[in-house]
Amino acid sequence: MKKHLLPILIVIAISAIFPICIDKLVLGSNYPSNVNNEVWMSFLGGYLGAIIGAIITLIVMYISINNSNKQLDKTLLAEKEKEIKNIKREFCGYIIKEYAIYNSNMTKAFNSAVSYINTSGVSEYHFMVNSFIACESVYIELVLQLQVNSQYAEIDKLIKDLQIINKRYDVFKTIMIDIDTLKKLKEKDFIKWFENENLAILNDVMNLRKMVKQFVKTNLKQDY
């Protein structure tokens, strides 16, 4: 409002000064004219009124357009913020979903490993291998999406923790798939090794769950 006050004051000042100038310079002038002062008064009154009206119209139009532009900018900014929020929610929802799938596949892989250890059956072995492959596939896709969306808060830590877990899991998977290694391990204290690895990886998965929750909480909290 303060920015528009000066033009308004200028118009008011001109409106006040202009009649005085007309009276002194035109009506009170000795300069010869073909019309009398009444005609000049009528003409100058209409002329001045038209000018003032045009100026006021321009000022009103300027203020109106300026306010409209500001409102449009606010609307566009609000829409952009809303879009960003929706993208964040969708991405966080995707991470939660993929983590759940990753966790589920890892559980299946462990269960299939236990089943194979107990039975040493061919079908159990193939099921275990397929479970490992499914888990690895989800891991690769999950890490890829995290790396692509590196602008999110705490995403580097989430990637690092996920890679640490997968590294331990990868060693476990490699040993479980290698039948010759399994035979050698069975001759030693295999069950103890398996239980320790199982507990360690499951503990890592629980920690990852906490990290995922913290990641989602941090990024969605930034919207408010």
Side-chain angles (χ1 to χ4, degrees):
M1 183 63 185
K2 291 182 179 180
K3 293 190 298 183
H4 308 309
L5 186 60
L6 181 60
I8 294 173
L9 291 175
I10 292 174
V11 171
I12 293 173
I14 292 174
S15 301
I17 295 172
F18 195 77
I20 299 174
C21 294
I22 293 297
D23 181 62
K24 298 294 183 182
L25 299 177
V26 178
L27 301 181
S29 174
N30 294 323
Y31 191 83
S33 175
N34 294 325
V35 295
N36 57 28
N37 286 344
E38 290 182 1
V39 176
W40 274 111
M41 285 286 291
S42 177
F43 167 74
L44 292 174
Y47 184 70
L48 178 61
I51 292 175
I52 293 175
I55 292 173
I56 292 174
T57 300
L58 289 174
I59 292 174
V60 171
M61 287 179 62
Y62 171 78
I63 294 173
S64 178
I65 292 172
N66 192 44
N67 289 338
S68 297
N69 288 336
K70 287 182 179 179
Q71 187 61 39
L72 179 60
D73 290 340
K74 288 181 180 179
T75 302
L76 292 175
L77 181 61
E79 289 179 354
K80 186 176 181 180
E81 289 177 349
K82 184 178 179 181
E83 183 181 357
I84 292 173
K85 289 179 183 179
N86 290 335
I87 291 173
K88 281 187 175 183
R89 289 191 182 99
E90 288 178 5
F91 182 70
C92 288
Y94 166 80
I95 295 300
I96 293 172
K97 179 183 176 182
E98 289 300 304
Y99 165 75
I101 295 173
Y102 178 73
N103 189 27
S104 175
N105 286 343
M106 186 172 284
T107 302
K108 288 179 182 178
F110 279 123
N111 291 337
S112 62
V114 172
S115 179
Y116 173 66
I117 290 170
N118 293 331
T119 62
S120 297
V122 176
S123 60
E124 285 78 5
Y125 175 80
H126 287 303
F127 183 77
M128 178 184 69
V129 172
N130 289 333
S131 298
F132 282 137
I133 293 173
C135 193
E136 184 69 16
S137 177
V138 175
Y139 164 77
I140 293 172
E141 177 65 22
L142 185 55
V143 171
L144 178 62
Q145 289 300 322
L146 289 172
Q147 290 174 339
V148 169
N149 294 276
S150 58
Q151 71 274 18
Y152 289 90
E154 297 188 7
I155 201 165
D156 290 337
K157 191 174 189 311
L158 186 60
I159 293 173
K160 184 178 179 181
D161 288 351
L162 190 58
Q163 289 173 336
I164 291 172
I165 292 172
N166 193 73
K167 186 176 181 180
R168 183 196 295 272
Y169 172 76
D170 199 48
V171 172
F172 177 82
K173 175 187 67 177
T174 302
I175 293 175
M176 291 303 300
I177 291 176
D178 188 347
I179 297 176
D180 292 333
T181 303
L182 279 179
K183 289 179 179 178
K184 292 178 182 178
L185 285 172
K186 286 181 180 180
E187 295 173 0
K188 300 178 182 179
D189 197 3
F190 172 75
I191 299 300
K192 184 177 180 180
W193 169 85
F194 179 84
E195 290 177 349
N196 289 338
E197 287 299 307
N198 191 2
L199 288 174
I201 295 175
L202 289 178
N203 184 59
D204 287 340
V205 171
M206 292 298 294
N207 290 333
L208 180 61
R209 178 184 296 177
K210 294 178 182 178
M211 281 296 303
V212 170
K213 287 183 177 180
Q214 183 61 38
F215 170 80
V216 172
K217 182 179 179 181
T218 299
N219 283 279
L220 292 186
K221 187 178 180 181
Q222 292 177 350
D223 294 339
Y224 303 99

